[in-house]
Amino acid sequence: MENTTPIDPAIYEWRPCSILLPRIALKTTRFGTRLSLLLPGRYMVRQSRSMGRRIYRSYSA
C-alpha cells in the first residue's frame, strides 16, 4: 500500500527570505542555476520540483 501525502503547492512559489550567515546554495540567475556563495542579505527562495532542494535568487522589491 502506497503512502500518498498531499504536496502543498505553495512551497514551489517564490517567497522572501533573509540569510544571516554565509552559505553555499543553488542560486538562479538569467544565465542558469549554479552552486554559489550566498552572502547575508535578502533573497527570494522556493523549493525545486526536480532537484528537491531550495533555490535562491536575488530579492527584487
Side-chain angles (χ1 to χ4, degrees), residues 29-41:
T29 63
R30 69 175 69 175
F31 303 112
T33 303
R34 65 175 61 174
L35 206 58
S36 64
L37 177 66
L38 297 180
L39 297 174

Side-chain angles (χ1 to χ4, degrees), residues 8-16 44-47 49:
D8 183 19
I11 65 171
Y12 300 121
E13 299 295 324
W14 291 105
R15 60 188 183 278
M44 298 293 283
V45 64
R46 75 172 180 89
Q47 190 76 18
R49 288 182 181 94

Side-chain angles (χ1 to χ4, degrees), residues 3-60:
N3 183 8
T4 57
T5 57
I7 297 174
D8 183 19
I11 65 171
Y12 300 121
E13 299 295 324
W14 291 105
R15 60 188 183 278
C17 168
S18 293
I19 294 180
L20 300 176
L21 298 173
R23 66 176 71 170
I24 296 176
L26 289 174
K27 185 176 180 187
T28 187
T29 63
R30 69 175 69 175
F31 303 112
T33 303
R34 65 175 61 174
L35 206 58
S36 64
L37 177 66
L38 297 180
L39 297 174
R42 295 182 71 179
Y43 294 91
M44 298 293 283
V45 64
R46 75 172 180 89
Q47 190 76 18
S48 169
R49 288 182 181 94
S50 60
M51 293 180 270
R53 298 173 57 182
R54 288 183 175 188
I55 297 179
Y56 296 86
R57 74 174 185 190
S58 297
Y59 184 84
S60 57

